[in-house]
Each structure stands twice: as C-alpha cells, then as structure tokens.
Amino acid sequence: MKKGLFLWLFVTICMLQAYAQTRTITGKVTDAKDGTPLPGVNVLVKGTSKGTISGPDGQFKVEVPAGASLIFSFVGYANQTVVTDASGNTLTIALKGSNQSLNELVVTALGIKRDKRTLTYATQEVKGAAIVEAKQNNLVNALSGKVAGVQITNSSGMPGSSARIVIRGNSSLTGENQALVVVDGIPMDNGEAGNPDGALSGGGTSNRAADIDPNIIESINVLKGSAATALYGSAAAKGAIIITTKNGMGAKSGKPTVSVSSSYSFENPILPSFQDKYAQGSGGKYVNGNAGQLGSTSWGPLIDTLKVGGVAVPKRDNVKEFFRTGHTSDNNVSVSGYSDKSNYLVSYSFVKTDGTMPNTDYSRHALFAKYGIELAKNLRLTTQFNYIHSDNNRLLEGNSLANPLWTVYSAPISWNPLPSTKPDGSQQVFRAARNNPYWLVDNTGLTDKVNRIIPVINLSYSPLSWLTITERFGADMYVNNTDYHENVGIIGSKSVDGRLYKRDIQYQQFNHDLMIQARKNFGEDWTTDLLIGNNILSNYNNNNYVEGVALSVPGLYTIANTSNVSSTYNLYKSRKVGFYAQANVEWRKMLTLAVTGRYDGSSVLSADKQFYPYGSVSGGFIFTEALGMSDNKILNFGKLRVSYSAVGNDNVGPYYLQTPYIKASVGNINFPFQGQNGYLQSTTYAYPLKNESVKEFEVGLETKFFQNRAGLEISYFDRKSEDLLTTSTPISGATGYPAASMNSGDMRNKGVEVVLNLTPVKTKNLTWDIGVNFTKIDNKVTRLAPGLNSIFLAGFTTPGIYAFADQAYGVIMGTHFKRNDAGQMLLSDDGYPQVADDIAAIGYVTPKWLGGITSTLTWKALTFSFVLDHKHGGDILNLDNHYLFFYGTPKVTENRGTNVVFPGIIESTQKQNTLSVPLTQSYYTDIYSAADESSIEDGSFLKLRQVSLGYNFGALLKGTPFKSLALNVTGTNFILHKNYTGSDPEVSLNGSGNGQGFANFMAPSNHTVIIGLKATF
C-alpha cells in the first residue's frame, strides 16, 4: 500500500513539473515593411517537429517547453528565431523581406491571401501604385498592356465612356463575357446601362467599374482560369478581377499619415484625316451652302481657286474648329494610421474632366472609409464604406442624326456653320437632312448621374490558432438617373417638335459569405488548408422609363410640357445560393494539391435545373526543391502546374422562363393609342433553361533565374463552353414565335500566355525592371443549335457583327465586291469593281495576338517608366467611311481624277484587266461606298500607353513636416502605329457589349499630358 502511494505521488510530481515547464505562447506575425498581418507563416518549435501556422490575421498559438526557441519561416521572408521566456507576454514578430524571396502573397478568390509559390493556377498582380500612375478615370483602362490574357477596349473618347475587360477571350454567345469585379471579397456590378435608344442610335454610357477610385487600391489580382475562380460561383466563370483596398497599415504606429495629391491634364483629340482641297458641290460645280443653297456632297471645285463675286471662298477646318483641348483635374486627400489593435483609412477624391467636344464632361466624388479593430482576443472586425457620386454630360454618338459628328465629319470645307441659326430661328444647314452641329450642342444633351454606396462588414474569429470563422456581408447599391432632351426644330428625330426622356434605375445587390477555414501543419512535411462556406447573392433592379414627344414650349424640358407621353416600368429580382469547399495540401514545400467544389442554385434557371454542382482539381510541383536547386545561381525556382475545372454559369437575366405580356406596338402605332392601352404577349418563346458549363484544362510553367532577377511564366489553356444561353434567338416562324430564349451553342477558346519579368540592372542607386506579356487566343464558335444559322451581335442587319458556327467569334457581314473562287475581283467591261448581290463575311474582329511591355528605371530619387501596348489583327468596320466616301470628305478622296488599273479580271471575257480608269465621283458614290468591304480596316496598333517621369524630393525635406514630396509628368495614349484611318482602332460603338469592332461617329480618343504632385506628411 505504501509502495503504491509512493509511486502515485512520484508520477504526479513529475507531471506537475512537466506542466510547469510547458506553457502556451501567443503572438502575431506581421510584415516589417508595412505592418500587415502575415497568414500562413510556419511557426516551428526548434529541435522538434511540433508547431503551427499563423491565421488569416497573423495570430498564432503554440505549446512550447520552457526556454524553447521558435523558428518563424515564410516564403519571401528571412527566417527569424525567437527565444521564449516566462513573461507570458504576447509576441510581436515582424518578418523582413529576403533578397532570396521567390514569391509573394496575393489575394485570391473570396479575399483569401495565398502564397503565390503554392498556387496551382495562373494569376497576375498589378500593384495599386501602377493603377494610380496610369492616370485613367476608368479603372479598367488602367490595366491596359499590363496583364497577359486580358483584352481591354475603351469605347470612345467621350468623358465617362465605358471600357470592356475580357479574360482569355469570349466564351458566351450573347451573355456577359466580362470578368467579375470583386472588391474586398464582395462582387460588384460592372454593367453598363447604355443609352435607352440603343448603342447604334445613341452610343453608350459608363460602366460601373469607373466608380472605383484608383487611389484606394492596394493591389489588383487577375484570376484567369476557371480553376482560380471556381470558389466564386457562376458569376466568375469568365475570370475575376480581385481588388484589395488599402487598410491604413504602413503608417507610423500611433500617428496619422496625411497624403495629398493633385494633378492636372491637357487632352487633345486624335482626329481622322479629311480632304481639304475640294469645296461643296457635285460634278466639280460649286454649291454655295453659305448663301442658303443645299447640297450634300463635297465633290465641287478646288477651293484654292474658287471665288464668289470676285472674292475668294475661305477654307475652313470644321473638324478642328469643333473640338477643343480637354482638361482633367484629379485631387485626393487621405488620412491613415494604425495601432496594435486597430487601423483606419479615410480617403476623398474628386475628378473633373471637361471633354474635347463642347458641353461634355465627367465628374466623380468618391469617399472611402475603412476601420479595423480587435474587439476581443482572436476576434476582429473590419468595416468599410464607399460612397460615389458621378455626373456625366454627353452628346449622342452613333448613327442618330442628333449626333453632331454626323455633320462635323461630313461638312464641306467651304461651309461656315456659324451662326448656327438663321434670323427666323431655324437651323443654318448645308443640306436639308442634317442638323447644324453647334445647334445640337446647344439644344440636345444626355445627363447620366449615379449615386452609389458599397458597405462591407467583415467579422473574423479564431477560437484556435489554426481555425478561423469569417462572416462577411456586403452590398452594392446605386441609383442611376439618365435624362435626355431634344429641342423643337431638330431634324431626323421622332418629332420635329422635339422630345425628352428620363430613366431611373435602382440597383441593389446583397452578398453574404460564411466561411470556416482551417490551416494546420502536420510535422515538418505536411501543410493543410481547408475551407467550407456558404454564399447568398440577391439582386433587385427597378427600371422606370418615361418619354415625352412634342414640346409645347421650346426649351422647357419637363414631361408635363410634352403632348405625347409613354412610360414603362420593370422590376427584376434574382437570387443565387451556393455551398463551397476547398482543400489545399502541401508536402515539403514542393508538391501541392488543390481541390474545390461548389453547388449553386439560381432562380433564373428552370425549376428542375436550378441547382448544379461543379469544381476543380489542380496540382503544382516545385521541381527545384526536389532537385535541391533553391540556391542555384542560374535557375533557383521552377514550378509545373496543371489544373482541370468544370464550372457552371447562369449567364442570363431573370424572367426568361416566361412569355409575359408587354406593351403593344402594331406597325407604326404604339400604345397607348387614342386613349386606349394595349398589350400583346411577348414574341420571344421561353424554352426550359439549364446552366452553361465551362470545362477548362490549364498547364503552366513558372521559373525564376539568377536569384530572382528574371522570371518566366508560360500558361496554356483549353476552354470549352457548352449549352450557352442566348436570348431573342431567331427560330422558325412556324412555331408561332420569331425568337426564343434557349441553350443554343458551344464555343472553344485555346491560347498561350507568356509573362517575362527582368531586372537587368540592380545597384545601390540604379534599378531597372522590365515586364513583357504576350497572349495568343483562338476564339471559335463550335456549334449553334439545329436550324440556327447565326446570332446577331451588333450593328445593322447589313453590315453587322455576327456569330457563326465553325467561325471565329465576331464575324463582320456585309456587301462586297464580286470575286471568283480564286479571290480575284470580277470587273465590269469598263474596268471598275462590281458590287455583289449577296452578303458575305468581310472581316473578323478577334485579334491574332496581344502584347505589352512595361519598363521602370529608378535612379536615386528619379523614376522613368513607360507602358507599350500592341494589338495585332482584328478587323474594324469603320462605318464613318461607309457614309463619308459618298460625301467626298475622307482623305483618300483627294485622289479623285487620277487613273488606276484595278487588279482582277474582266468578268465577261475572263481576261486580266489592263484598263486604266479614272477615280470619279460616281466611282466613290456608286461603287466604292456601296460595298461595306471598303470600310473594313485593320485594327492593329502599337501604343505608348503611358510614359512617366517623376522625382521624389524626400531627401531634401529633412527637418520639414513632409515625409515625401513627388512631382510627376505623364503622357498617355500616344499612338505610334496604326493602319486604321479613323481616330483610334481601340474603339467600339457597342461599348462594353459583345458586338465589338463596330465604329460609327464616336468621339475621338485623346492623348494626354498630365502634371501631378503628391505630398505625404
């Protein structure tokens, strides 16, 4: 009995002693440079295999013996060893970046930070500083030329115009092809409301990504493939733009940092060239438009010798006189700071652009506030609020006669448009069917206003060092008010007595995520990262439109002042519910396996098809670790990655499952008619709809050379998009419906992306960094539904942009010259080309390849940088020339009267043509302008997208309140080469829509010179 009691006491004392020598160490790991938390840092008890990893907020907790040392290691940072003591104080570990760093943390799907070294798919990051330096009002344009696999198209030079961003080509026939935009984990709307009259008749408006202030952006990470975006659900099937905002970290702890920046720019339009030799008239005879004579064309006599009443007729440049130098002021002030438990940032920006066309401008007020606080141990709350107000005054673009460019570009050089009115108050015009451009400036206009708020609440709780629970709620709400007016006396509109309309859009989107994430090490070899979550996305959209025609009192633009009023109201609601999971397993820092799965349910699909599963599997192998080459002086990092994903998409709006009743229109009669209202059933039949599916295979190689002085990344992808959803799809009239909503086709995208980064020079005072990107994509429609020949995308029926099976996406169809099977032109007996009776494919809008070069040279406090951007191939239908060839104003018509021998054969004799014929007025008006083929032009370009020279006076400011003071001079959008005869081949009348490559009387693009100053104190 005594012996047993003695043994029990001995064991108890040993256990108590062991317990006394073991204790719990807690702490937080941050980046020594900017104080941001570092998740995923390995915390290892020295001499053992025990340890943990830091959570998403950098916090860690580990059991250690008395006096033990902890080793903190993380890729891209120097290892740090810390000896623990018995004080029990929380450790604060600040890791310093290592010169031998291989990669960096990047923000991926759902706002999760990952080590780029371990990623198993292609991404590319752009820092916020590069976005600000680009000096673009529209955030999308700031990415131009910087990211492989991304094509960006700016719609026009009108202030506030939209920009389109597509990753790895188009993969939907008529649905959304743009990438999902995500701000701090919350999807945001990037739609373009557009002109109620349609892009063809009125041009576009701004896309909603233009609301984001570049000054608040910390970084943008582009997720390119489906494996990278599978966690985001249906909306990200086209790729995702992950935007991370600044959080106030990086300032000196306990003291606020104030930053003030201001810039002013001068913008000059890039104008097409026009003939300046021949006056108004026809057949060489003068028509005096200044004396009230009317004539449409400029086929008159040479103006240099032209006199009226013995007085020389002055030559005008109506194009240059109409445009002006535009100006933009961009101002920002921010206050930021942090302490050991909180961080904050408050930023306000104001941008104002006065366009190069009269009465056009764009302004944006943006207020952003972000606050993070540690509410309790392991419990952190982050809240943020973004308010944006934008105001855009525009003139119409496109084919409407209310577009002043119709007359500006076609006006004879002998005609003086001023004053714009005659003594009787009517317009002064040179032809009866066109408006005076200055009258339009004074009597028409479109105003587009947006008030938007984006609140986000993020609550993160870590009950265990390896476990984090995150609740995130965000909303995107805005009101978009669009007003348009035309005064009494307008030509070519619905009524000569004018009209006006008002559209109000109320948009609300609510996003909620609940995520549980576990990160844990198992010994020295295994690292796991598991995530499960639930997402609910709800969308509400009210659209109210009212139009009044025929003003009773000229110039009074209210609905009550019109005699014929009509209105429509639409309410759209949709909801998606998703459940998702992800598992990442890493072995010995060299082999990574990632698996994702998601189960989505969408209200816009048929009841039996609303829920659909999808996911991805991918792997990465860092072969330089296996071969012991991490310290190799030539190749120090190499990774192979491969992924396969099968994701779904509900790429269609709500209520396409029904054939509702809509307001009737019979012939030229619109209801209400004579006091009676009328409705007819929709003419679009509603087939049962299921989700689109996107299957993508991707393989890539990532390498770094010469101790990270050079890096090469190559990716190949093969994406198949099936059961694509289309609306208003033409079907046989025998069904009783001319069109239907249906799953109507398949597409395939294959391509190669190359990213090369070099640092050829790196000394104490001089650093030179170069980035090169290259993209080649084969974007093809592989199938259309039985009986469906083509799908119309944009333009007119002829000419227009279409999708055809077994053709590249975006075929330009139109009239053309007669040719034989060998492609030779079939000429008439008098040696002129002949216009064929049918229409055919006359161009393809998809470019052959894209490329970009960025370069930054820093010498002490002086920085010089530039961005070159190149697009090779891709045709444009220049519809300006289609009309202007008839009127005789394009530069090419100056060759009138010269003789040429057209290549080809005489159709009647089948002999090679040898006839020399003159280029007469009738050739241009009856033959050349009659063939749409004449207006097809090469869309290739080489642009100096951005060039900047800056100097930081920080070293000269010691003893002053300033921490830094930088002066920059920047130039943007200088076209170095183009074959396009219009303003800029990087344009699209269809804005951010799918019908690209269509240009028709749009505001010309601008090149800009900007002077900016930024001070921090």
Side-chain angles (χ1 to χ4, degrees):
M1 180 67 181
K2 291 182 179 180
K3 185 176 180 180
L5 180 60
F6 173 78
L7 289 173
W8 183 85
L9 289 172
F10 178 78
V11 171
T12 300
I13 293 170
C14 290
M15 291 177 64
L16 289 173
Q17 184 178 7
Y19 179 78
Q21 293 176 345
T22 303
R23 59 191 179 280
T24 300
I25 300 295
T26 61
K28 182 177 181 180
V29 189
T30 63
D31 187 318
K33 182 179 180 181
D34 58 15
T36 57
L38 293 179
V41 175
N42 289 302
V43 184
L44 185 67
V45 180
K46 188 175 182 179
T48 73
S49 60
K50 297 180 179 180
T52 186
I53 59 176
S54 61
D57 56 357
Q59 302 281 351
F60 70 89
K61 180 166 61 176
V62 63
E63 300 288 335
V64 301
S69 297
L70 294 177
I71 301 175
F72 296 84
S73 63
F74 194 60
V75 174
Y77 293 84
N79 290 356
Q80 189 173 146
T81 301
V82 177
V83 179
T84 63
D85 55 33
S87 65
N89 294 331
T90 299
L91 296 178
T92 300
I93 309 300
L95 296 184
K96 296 180 179 180
S98 170
N99 292 330
Q100 304 300 319
S101 64
L102 296 175
N103 279 294
E104 68 280 352
L105 285 178
V106 293
V107 180
T108 62
L110 299 174
I112 299 170
K113 284 189 176 182
R114 295 277 307 278
D115 177 9
K116 192 175 187 303
R117 167 193 173 101
T118 66
L119 294 184
T120 53
Y121 45 75
T123 72
Q124 195 170 343
E125 187 180 55
V126 179
K127 295 297 185 182
I131 301 299
V132 174
E133 189 178 273
K135 297 298 180 184
Q136 296 290 326
N137 291 346
N138 195 319
L139 172 73
V140 172
N141 289 327
L143 294 172
S144 295
K146 297 180 175 70
V147 184
V150 173
Q151 183 178 359
I152 294 170
T153 306
N154 188 23
S155 61
S156 85
M158 186 82 69
S161 290
S162 64
R164 184 174 190 258
I165 180 166
V166 174
I167 299 176
R168 291 186 170 177
N170 301 284
S171 51
S172 181
L173 289 168
T174 62
E176 183 60 76
N177 272 304
Q178 292 197 90
L180 174 70
V181 178
V182 181
V183 179
D184 291 329
I186 302 298
M188 63 162 284
D189 177 60
N190 184 32
E192 178 186 352
N195 191 300
D197 287 336
L200 183 62
S201 297
T205 55
S206 184
N207 62 306
R208 295 278 56 87
D211 297 336
I212 303 175
D213 177 17
N215 292 286
I216 67 172
I217 295 175
E218 178 69 29
S219 66
I220 295 179
N221 195 28
V222 180
L223 305 183
K224 302 177 183 180
S226 301
T229 62
L231 276 183
Y232 263 123
S234 303
K238 317 301 180 195
I241 308 298
I242 309 299
I243 298 173
T244 303
T245 61
K246 297 176 181 178
N247 57 16
M249 305 294 283
K252 188 175 181 181
S253 178
K255 293 184 179 181
T257 294
V258 179
S259 178
V260 179
S261 64
S262 182
S263 66
Y264 194 82
S265 69
F266 304 86
E267 294 144 13
N268 290 294
I270 304 170
L271 298 173
S273 296
F274 297 92
Q275 68 88 9
D276 62 353
K277 293 182 179 180
Y278 296 92
Q280 182 180 3
S282 181
K285 296 182 179 180
Y286 179 57
V287 172
N288 191 352
N290 299 310
Q293 299 179 15
L294 300 180
S296 299
T297 63
S298 293
W299 295 101
L302 287 166
I303 196 171
D304 289 345
T305 58
L306 181 62
K307 293 183 179 182
V308 174
V311 179
V313 176
K315 179 168 66 175
R316 302 182 61 89
D317 191 332
N318 284 313
V319 177
K320 287 186 178 180
E321 290 173 7
F322 182 77
F323 290 93
R324 62 188 183 182
T325 299
H327 302 276
T328 296
S329 60
D330 187 350
N331 302 284
N332 171 261
V333 58
S334 68
V335 182
S336 61
Y338 76 98
S339 65
D340 58 340
K341 292 186 179 295
S342 65
N343 58 282
Y344 63 90
L345 169 70
V346 179
S347 172
Y348 168 73
S349 293
F350 175 64
V351 174
K352 175 66 184 299
T353 297
D354 293 314
T356 58
M357 294 175 65
N359 288 1
T360 62
D361 59 69
Y362 172 80
S363 63
R364 183 186 66 218
H365 298 266
L367 175 65
F368 179 76
K370 191 173 188 177
Y371 180 66
I373 185 171
E374 186 176 332
L375 297 175
K377 185 178 181 181
N378 300 327
L379 179 64
R380 186 167 185 83
L381 173 68
T382 301
T383 61
Q384 62 191 66
F385 180 82
N386 199 358
Y387 169 73
I388 307 102
H389 170 78
S390 65
D391 200 337
N392 189 196
N393 291 302
R394 309 173 65 90
L395 296 171
L396 291 194
E397 299 175 280
N399 212 257
S400 169
L401 295 186
N403 177 0
L405 293 185
W406 251 111
T407 313
V408 171
Y409 285 179
S410 63
I413 58 174
S414 57
W415 178 63
N416 184 357
L418 297 173
S420 62
T421 57
K422 301 176 183 177
D424 63 1
S426 63
Q427 294 190 54
Q428 184 206 164
V429 295
F430 72 89
R431 60 173 300 194
R434 291 293 181 272
N435 291 284
N436 185 295
Y438 294 95
W439 187 93
L440 289 172
V441 168
D442 294 333
N443 292 275
T444 69
L446 184 144
T447 300
D448 197 50
K449 296 183 179 182
V450 174
N451 284 282
R452 186 176 195 174
I453 60 172
I454 306 176
V456 181
I457 299 174
N458 195 94
L459 188 64
S460 178
Y461 176 56
S462 301
L464 302 171
S465 61
W466 50 270
L467 182 66
T468 302
I469 303 171
T470 301
E471 183 95 14
R472 181 189 296 142
F473 173 80
D476 183 6
M477 298 178 283
Y478 63 80
V479 177
N480 182 190
N481 306 116
T482 305
D483 296 90
Y484 174 72
H485 68 271
E486 297 172 350
N487 207 352
V488 175
I490 191 166
I491 298 170
S493 187
K494 285 187 176 182
S495 170
V496 70
D497 293 323
R499 70 171 181 134
L500 58 92
Y501 63 69
K502 181 178 177 61
R503 180 186 63 191
D504 298 316
I505 297 174
Q506 295 180 343
Y507 180 91
Q508 299 177 75
Q509 179 172 281
F510 302 97
N511 184 87
H512 173 262
D513 279 289
L514 173 62
M515 297 179 289
I516 302 174
Q517 185 176 15
R519 300 174 185 245
K520 195 167 181 63
N521 288 350
F522 294 92
E524 295 182 342
D525 294 339
W526 295 92
T527 300
T528 60
D529 186 345
L530 307 177
L531 173 75
I532 59 173
N534 165 246
N535 172 256
I536 300 175
L537 181 67
S538 301
N539 189 286
Y540 306 87
N541 192 333
N542 289 296
N543 190 322
N544 187 30
Y545 176 85
V546 58
E547 180 183 48
V549 177
L551 279 64
S552 301
V553 179
L556 180 59
Y557 304 119
T558 65
I559 293 295
N561 186 43
T562 59
S563 58
N564 188 357
V565 179
S566 61
S567 65
T568 59
Y569 174 76
N570 296 290
L571 171 62
Y572 304 96
K573 297 181 181 180
S574 63
R575 177 172 292 175
K576 279 191 287 190
V577 177
F579 302 90
Y580 50 84
Q582 175 179 266
N584 294 299
V585 180
E586 183 182 355
W587 181 70
R588 290 190 175 180
K589 300 183 180 299
M590 70 174 71
L591 193 61
T592 303
L593 175 67
V595 179
T596 66
R598 180 155 177 146
Y599 189 63
D600 268 352
S602 173
S603 65
V604 302
L605 303 176
S606 299
D608 60 338
K609 301 291 185 180
Q610 285 184 337
F611 285 88
Y612 47 98
Y614 53 89
S616 67
V617 59
S618 54
F621 175 51
I622 304 177
F623 56 84
T624 46
E625 288 287 336
L627 299 175
M629 300 175 63
S630 298
D631 295 324
N632 189 283
K633 294 184 179 180
I634 299 177
L635 174 62
N636 58 289
F637 177 78
K639 178 175 72 175
L640 289 170
R641 49 178 171 77
V642 62
S643 67
Y644 178 79
S645 56
V647 303
N649 193 13
D650 61 343
N651 203 358
V652 69
Y655 311 131
Y656 282 103
L657 298 171
Q658 304 171 353
T659 52
Y661 283 88
I662 59 176
K663 186 157 287 190
S665 176
V666 181
N668 294 324
I669 300 175
N670 294 316
F671 286 84
F673 179 71
Q674 294 183 350
Q676 297 295 318
N677 217 338
Y679 291 86
L680 290 173
Q681 195 173 29
S682 169
T683 56
T684 301
Y685 182 74
Y687 278 104
L689 301 178
K690 65 178 181 178
N691 65 282
E692 299 178 347
S693 65
V694 180
K695 299 175 182 178
E696 184 172 19
F697 170 77
E698 179 183 322
V699 62
L701 171 68
E702 297 178 25
T703 57
K704 288 186 179 291
F705 301 89
F706 312 116
Q707 299 301 301
N708 308 318
R709 293 280 291 275
L712 176 66
E713 182 174 346
I714 303 173
S715 300
Y716 169 80
F717 64 91
D718 187 346
R719 174 188 292 174
K720 297 179 181 178
S721 306
E722 301 174 338
D723 296 320
L724 298 176
L725 292 159
T726 59
T727 59
S728 300
T729 309
I731 59 175
S732 171
T735 63
Y737 291 86
S741 301
M742 56 194 296
N743 295 90
S744 61
D746 304 335
M747 295 178 69
R748 186 173 186 178
N749 292 5
K750 296 187 293 184
V752 176
E753 301 162 351
V754 180
V755 179
L756 174 65
N757 294 301
L758 300 170
T759 305
V761 178
K762 189 175 181 64
T763 66
K764 180 181 178 181
N765 295 321
L766 181 64
T767 303
W768 185 19
D769 294 316
I770 302 173
V772 180
N773 64 80
F774 169 84
T775 306
K776 181 175 176 59
I777 300 175
D778 179 17
N779 191 178
K780 187 176 182 180
V781 179
T782 56
R783 181 186 70 87
L784 292 179
L788 182 60
N789 179 57
S790 63
I791 292 179
F792 177 74
L793 300 177
F796 298 97
T797 304
T798 302
I801 315 296
Y802 289 80
F804 283 87
D806 298 321
Q807 298 281 342
Y809 184 79
V811 180
I812 306 176
M813 299 292 292
T815 55
H816 60 100
F817 295 117
K818 278 188 178 181
R819 285 183 171 81
N820 59 20
D821 293 339
Q824 295 174 301
M825 270 205 298
L826 299 176
L827 308 176
S828 64
D829 290 343
D830 54 5
Y832 285 101
Q834 303 178 97
V835 180
D837 296 328
D838 63 341
I839 64 171
I842 55 177
Y844 297 89
V845 303
T846 303
K848 295 179 180 179
W849 58 271
L850 307 169
I853 300 175
T854 61
S855 173
T856 302
L857 184 68
T858 303
W859 180 68
K860 294 184 178 180
L862 187 69
T863 301
F864 174 73
S865 64
F866 67 82
V867 178
L868 280 173
D869 190 11
H870 178 65
K871 184 181 82 166
H872 185 75
D875 295 319
I876 297 175
L877 176 61
N878 185 353
L879 209 63
D880 294 6
N881 282 353
H882 174 79
Y883 296 107
L884 298 179
F885 287 144
F886 178 88
Y887 300 131
T889 58
K891 190 71 174 178
V892 68
T893 63
E894 280 187 355
N895 64 6
R896 63 190 70 177
T898 59
N899 283 59
V900 298
V901 177
F902 287 103
I905 60 176
I906 304 298
E907 183 178 22
S908 61
T909 64
Q910 294 297 302
K911 293 183 179 179
Q912 194 71 30
N913 178 44
T914 58
L915 297 175
S916 178
V917 295
L919 299 178
T920 62
Q921 176 182 347
S922 60
Y923 163 71
Y924 280 106
T925 59
D926 300 337
I927 300 175
Y928 197 65
S929 66
D932 299 324
E933 177 186 341
S934 304
S935 302
I936 298 298
E937 301 190 42
D938 179 17
S940 302
F941 63 77
L942 175 64
K943 285 188 177 184
L944 183 57
R945 180 74 64 178
Q946 168 193 326
V947 58
S948 181
L949 180 65
Y951 187 81
N952 194 324
F953 296 91
L956 307 176
L957 301 174
K958 293 181 179 180
T960 71
F962 293 97
K963 296 178 181 177
S964 67
L965 181 65
L967 177 66
N968 287 275
V969 178
T970 303
T972 67
N973 206 37
F974 291 93
I975 301 178
L976 304 179
H977 170 76
K978 67 182 176 78
N979 298 316
Y980 183 63
T981 60
S983 167
D984 187 342
E986 190 190 5
V987 293
S988 173
L989 179 61
N990 206 37
S992 57
N994 291 325
Q996 299 291 297
F998 192 90
N1000 189 197
F1001 294 126
M1002 293 134 58
S1005 298
N1006 309 306
H1007 56 73
T1008 307
V1009 176
I1010 309 150
I1011 301 174
L1013 188 67
K1014 182 176 182 179
T1016 302
F1017 51 90

